[in-house]
Amino acid sequence: MSQPILIVGGGPAGLSAAHAAASAGRKVTLIEKEDRLGGAPILSGYAKLVPSHEWASDVIGAMVKRVVDNPNVTVRTGARVQSFDGTPGAFTATLKDGGKVEVGSAILTTGFTHFDSVNKPEWGFGTYPDVVTTTQLEQMISSGKGVRCPSDGRKPDRVAILLCVGSRDRQIGREWCSKICCTVSANLAMEIREELPESNVYIYYMDIRTFGLYEGEFYWGSQEEYKVKYIKARIAEVTSDGKRLLVKGEDTLVKRPISIPFDMVVHAVGMDPNVDNMTISSVFGVKLNKYGYIERKNTYTTLCETSRPGVFVAGSATGPETIDDSIAQGSAAAMAALTFVPAKTPAEAAE
Amino acid sequence: MPIHEKSLIRPEKLVEHEELVIEGMDVSGHWSTFIEGRSVPDYNETLQEEIAALPGGENIHRCWQCGSCTNACTVNALNPDFNPRYWIYLIRMGMEEELLRDKDIIWQCVSCNKCTYACPRDVVPEQVMKATSHWLELKGHTPKSPSMIFDEAFSEQVFERGKIEDGLVLREFFKRTGQPVTQPWLVALVSGLVKRFPVFYLMKLGLATVFRPRTRGWGKARDAIEEYVHECEERNRRAVGLGTKGAK
Ligand SMILES: Cc1cc2nc3c(=O)[nH]c(=O)nc-3n(C[C@H](O)[C@H](O)[C@H](O)COP(=O)(O)OP(=O)(O)OC[C@H]3O[C@@H](n4cnc5c(N)ncnc54)[C@H](O)[C@@H]3O)c2cc1C
Ligand code: SF4
Ligand code: SF4
Ligand code: SF4
């Protein structure tokens, strides 16, 4: 049993799986649809990551290099799998360009898609240039240009971050929490206050989910050291008085309507299922769960199995995940694929 | 009062003492305003279930108090005391007495459903407002609203005959709300109609007021509808812990 492993998706989960399998001596083919590896943190230009405060380009960049330099790994960027046939232990993946790859198993690390804020029009994205997403904010910081209002390049004096945009909302069929956006928002708020000490940063929340050890450093830290203000309200709408943005809502703790001017409003966008998931599901013959992510067969025992034997899944392809958890799952999936023994066919069993 | 939060406290709970010393500390006067603790001994533990059992109240337990309904609300924009989120909270906590303080504005919901489209949990607050008004009425806290009375006069005729006769609906409505039938605007309307309508049509209208229109073979349908309506009414009464009203 030493057939090559196919890995689809070159983000943190896929890079981790490729490294693990290749380090164990297995041949790996890594397929990535974009023209470079690295997944969301690289493709969307994230700045300093939670929780390590290291730059995404440094740490995820190092993961990319480690995989590219490994002689056991064949990387195919700008590629997609068109069909996936055969039986566990003897699959053939046919790529869009006609190329064929023979593998014994596959790992899907196809990740997520950022929620598109135009689907919540009342919150002003797409209408007002100074309404941006956390992804854009990450890019402002990672590009070195700093946090500026897109409309005229001024330094924002007042910034509002709205949590749960595209998460936890039945109106748009998204009944999940995206897990990391609270902590990422607290982190970004601190970054803004660090770069622009004169600024005022407000976070509008329904619940704060800076889970585990993120509580002290990010939630408390942003309040205690960086004086970020938290307001318990889900806002009604973002409008403009011609000069500044107006955020309207109810401060539920004091039962009082609020309408507050801001220079910049940031949507903490959620992690949608990958828009490709319907195709991925039919090409690889794997089930999706009711939310549209790739379904994991087990929670315990054997991690990372899908509904199809020999096809594994890891990272945010299964639901909202953090980078470190995606990396851990990538290694687990590699382990599952390395030790995978196809069930015997009835004929083989009879011999 | 510079401290906004004081507006959240009922005035009778704010107390100042001319002279008061506690453990050697002088806490007399304006600078030491006390807030008397609120004790709510009479929680109605079943309030949420009662409202949830009325049509429209089904999803109230989903609410997580985000405030989206209130900040989207048409009536709240005019009257900040009209606060669906807050009432849902009171109902869920069983604070019946607090809820009753607002009994005369809860029914003012205009059913625009802005809250419904804003609510991330699909509570359908507009329906909860309906259920709450219904509850207030069933429990005898509020009289029937004029629109409710009109609806009743209207539907009773439909149940009875499968058809309505506008004149009779109006007359019933005026009678039940204690208004004179010869409303100036109505007289003006009718005499306007008489001037403009063709004679044949007027005759038909006249006949209809004498021989009330009736859907042929309606009897069975009427019995079935009445039975169903009676069943629903009884279910609602049971839901809020009231005895049966007796067969009609
Ligand atoms: C604004 C924002 C900030 C964040 N910051 C942090 C942070 O600081 N710390 C943290 O832990 N997490 C953070 N996250 C979460 C983080 O982005 C994810 O945990 C991580 O990207 C998941 O890695 P992944 O490999 O599972 O998926 P992805 O990063 O989405 O990678 C999937 C890869 O698969 C490729 N792909 C997709 N479909 C196909 C296909 N059909 N064929 C071939 N290739 C395909 C994609 O191009 C991509 O390269 C953040 C998320 C957001 C939205
Ligand atoms: S992590 Fe926070 S911001 Fe993100 S969906 Fe969950 S609660 Fe909302
Ligand atoms: S339906 Fe009623 S409660 Fe809802 S927004 Fe309209 S007026 Fe307000
Ligand atoms: S919008 Fe829905 S969840 Fe939010 S407070 Fe109103 S009823 Fe509750």
Side-chain angles (χ1 to χ4, degrees):
Chain A
M1 281 307 304
S2 55
Q3 286 100 328
I5 299 170
L6 181 76
I7 297 176
V8 188
L15 292 168
S16 160
H19 169 73
S23 305
R26 195 66 71 88
K27 294 278 181 222
V28 168
T29 297
L30 177 58
I31 307 283
E32 165 60 51
K33 70 172 176 182
E34 300 296 338
D35 61 0
R36 24 190 199 135
L37 297 178
I42 297 293
L43 297 170
S44 297
Y46 295 171
K48 287 184 192 162
L49 296 179
V50 164
S52 72
H53 301 286
E54 292 168 287
W55 289 95
S57 53
D58 291 346
V59 283
I60 309 298
M63 288 183 73
V64 172
K65 186 166 186 314
R66 185 171 73 170
V67 163
V68 171
D69 289 347
N70 193 315
N72 281 336
V73 183
T74 309
V75 175
R76 302 284 310 269
T77 51
R80 275 172 197 264
V81 178
Q82 172 118 16
S83 62
F84 189 75
D85 310 301
T87 52
F91 292 115
T92 305
T94 309
L95 306 188
K96 273 261 162 64
D97 65 5
K100 287 194 193 300
V101 190
E102 309 283 333
V103 295
S105 58
I107 302 173
L108 304 176
T109 46
T110 39
F112 70 101
T113 298
H114 291 90
F115 174 74
D116 187 349
S117 272
V118 297
N119 293 315
K120 289 302 280 184
E122 62 271 36
W123 292 334
F125 183 83
T127 309
Y128 307 109
D130 293 340
V131 178
V132 300
T133 64
T134 35
T135 316
Q136 285 171 281
L137 200 59
E138 297 267 4
Q139 289 161 2
M140 290 181 196
I141 298 168
S142 65
S143 66
K145 292 184 187 131
V147 178
R148 301 291 178 274
C149 294
S151 63
D152 57 2
R154 75 181 187 279
K155 293 179 180 169
D157 171 26
R158 298 170 57 77
V159 180
I161 303 181
L162 315 181
L163 296 186
C164 305
V165 177
S167 308
R168 311 174 75 212
D169 188 348
R170 273 209 177 93
Q171 293 296 331
I172 49 170
R174 284 160 174 86
E175 299 188 7
W176 56 82
C177 162
S178 290
K179 213 169 181 176
I180 191 71
C181 15
C182 275
T183 314
V184 165
S185 298
N187 189 39
L188 287 170
M190 295 194 280
E191 298 265 353
I192 298 171
R193 292 274 298 138
E194 181 120 0
E195 192 212 325
L196 309 170
E198 303 296 310
S199 65
N200 294 285
V201 182
Y202 293 81
I203 294 183
Y204 288 85
Y205 72 99
M206 291 186 284
D207 303 283
I208 292 292
R209 297 187 167 172
T210 45
F211 55 99
L213 301 183
Y214 298 167
E215 178 78 4
E217 181 174 356
F218 295 97
Y219 188 15
W220 296 13
S222 62
Q223 291 178 318
E224 293 171 12
E225 281 169 58
Y226 290 87
K227 310 288 186 275
V228 174
K229 287 153 211 143
Y230 286 76
I231 301 184
K232 185 162 174 17
R234 185 172 185 268
I235 68 126
E237 53 174 2
V238 177
T239 56
S240 167
D241 63 3
K243 287 195 264 1
R244 289 171 123 190
L245 299 166
L246 279 182
V247 165
K248 284 162 81 183
E250 187 204 11
D251 186 332
T252 57
L253 291 185
V254 294
K255 202 178 156 213
R256 180 169 56 165
I258 42 178
S259 180
I260 304 178
F262 282 100
D263 299 294
M264 184 185 270
V265 170
V266 184
H267 288 193
V269 290
M271 297 170 76
D272 269 4
N274 186 337
V275 286
D276 292 348
N277 273 2
M278 295 294 259
T279 315
I280 293 171
S281 163
S282 75
V283 167
F284 289 93
V286 293
K287 273 195 206 149
L288 303 183
N289 64 21
K290 67 171 176 174
Y291 305 107
Y293 302 94
I294 298 173
E295 185 169 277
R296 293 195 306 183
K297 201 170 145 205
N298 292 312
T299 308
Y300 311 110
T301 323
T302 311
L303 287 182
C304 305
E305 285 179 332
T306 64
S307 58
R308 184 168 183 190
V311 179
F312 303 90
V313 64
S316 57
T318 65
E321 279 302 354
T322 61
I323 294 175
D324 40 332
D325 282 349
S326 298
I327 290 172
Q329 289 178 19
S331 305
M335 183 58 101
L338 285 168
T339 55
F340 173 65
V341 181
K344 286 192 168 132
T345 62
E348 286 168 342
E351 273 172 22
Chain B
M1 196 69 48
I3 305 171
H4 159 79
E5 280 66 24
K6 278 198 180 167
S7 67
L8 292 170
I9 301 159
R10 306 219 178 279
E12 66 267 22
K13 297 281 182 200
L14 288 172
V15 280
E16 287 167 21
H17 298 270
E18 295 251 313
E19 256 165 67
L20 182 68
V21 177
I22 298 178
E23 292 184 8
M25 271 264 250
D26 185 357
V27 289
S28 314
H30 179 68
W31 293 105
S32 300
T33 302
F34 286 80
I35 304 167
E36 273 183 5
R38 188 179 70 190
S39 61
V40 188
D42 51 350
Y43 280 96
N44 176 355
E45 306 265 20
T46 59
L47 188 55
Q48 170 170 250
E49 277 80 73
E50 287 178 7
I51 297 222
L54 292 176
E58 298 86 354
N59 294 330
I60 188 171
H61 59 282
R62 290 180 175 175
C63 175
W64 66 17
Q65 290 293 304
C66 68
S68 298
C69 47
T70 295
N71 65 38
C73 176
T74 309
V75 179
N76 176 266
L78 302 170
N79 176 7
D81 285 336
F82 187 96
N83 192 328
R85 175 200 56 80
Y86 178 60
W87 293 327
I88 290 174
Y89 177 73
L90 296 180
I91 293 167
R92 299 204 57 201
M93 295 299 125
M95 303 210 227
E96 183 170 337
E97 207 179 305
E98 294 286 311
L99 183 74
L100 290 180
R101 287 174 194 270
D102 289 335
K103 69 183 163 58
D104 295 325
I105 50 174
I106 292 175
W107 61 269
Q108 289 171 0
C109 166
V110 295
S111 292
C112 63
N113 274 306
K114 280 191 182 173
C115 51
T116 305
Y117 299 117
C119 174
R121 296 295 299 277
D122 217 8
V123 171
V124 200
E126 183 264 345
Q127 287 288 303
V128 176
M129 290 305 102
K130 277 224 171 82
T132 308
S133 308
H134 196 168
W135 180 89
L136 285 167
E137 189 205 305
L138 282 171
K139 288 276 192 176
H141 294 302
T142 48
K144 282 180 186 169
S145 67
S147 76
M148 174 66 126
I149 294 173
F150 184 89
D151 286 353
E152 279 180 1
F154 185 98
S155 21
E156 275 169 24
Q157 258 191 64
V158 177
F159 300 161
E160 179 63 26
R161 285 194 286 280
K163 276 189 181 171
I164 56 152
E165 194 260 291
D166 312 287
L168 187 65
V169 175
L170 272 181
R171 262 178 288 149
E172 266 304 306
F173 173 64
F174 289 140
K175 198 168 97 196
R176 292 184 196 185
T177 51
Q179 303 180 66
V181 183
T182 49
Q183 304 266 333
W185 63 269
L186 189 63
V187 173
L189 181 84
V190 171
S191 57
L193 283 179
V194 170
K195 270 185 222 136
R196 282 183 194 84
F197 271 25
V199 180
F200 163 73
Y201 199 75
L202 281 175
M203 272 170 64
K204 255 191 110 173
L205 273 181
L207 280 176
T209 44
V210 183
F211 307 103
R212 304 247 148 86
R214 192 176 275 275
T215 303
R216 213 162 301 205
W218 182 248
K220 259 197 187 148
R222 182 194 57 212
D223 292 347
I225 293 174
E226 270 177 0
E227 192 185 315
Y228 177 71
V229 169
H230 180 70
E231 231 172 68
C232 293
E233 278 174 355
E234 287 307 314
R235 199 187 317 128
N236 291 343
R237 292 176 61 80
R238 269 197 308 277
V240 304
L242 293 173
T244 111
K245 218 171 156 187
K248 262 198 172 167

